[in-house]
């Protein structure tokens, strides 16, 4: 949703854009925690797939 403000309303539009553009975007801590959990789960699944592939390769070779 956008709020349209005339340039003559209190401040100029360029000053408003400079102010809004200078702020660093922040991510909520719950999203950061979920991202870390998803990354950990992805690493675990990748390691599990590697181990299963290695075991099945040895089983197929008869070792």
């Amino acid at each position: 949703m956008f709020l349209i403000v005339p340039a003559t309303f209190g401040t100029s539009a360029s000053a408003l854009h400079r102010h809004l553009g200078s702020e660093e975007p922040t991510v909520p801590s719950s999203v950061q925690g979920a991202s870390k959990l998803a990354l950990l789960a992805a690493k675990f699944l990748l390691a599990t797939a590697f181990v299963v592939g290695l075991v099945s390769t040895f089983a197929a070779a008869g070792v």
Side-chain angles (χ1 to χ4, degrees):
M1 179 160 129
F2 295 100
L3 178 65
I4 300 173
V5 179
T8 58
F9 185 75
T11 182
S12 68
S14 62
L16 182 63
H17 286 280
R18 278 196 305 269
H19 175 68
L20 292 177
S22 65
E23 294 180 6
E24 289 290 325
T26 58
V27 178
S29 60
S30 60
V31 174
Q32 288 177 348
S35 296
K36 288 179 183 179
L37 183 62
L39 185 60
L40 183 65
K43 287 180 180 180
F44 175 75
L45 288 174
L46 187 61
T48 303
F50 177 75
V51 170
V52 168
L54 195 62
V55 169
S56 65
T57 300
F58 286 144
V63 175

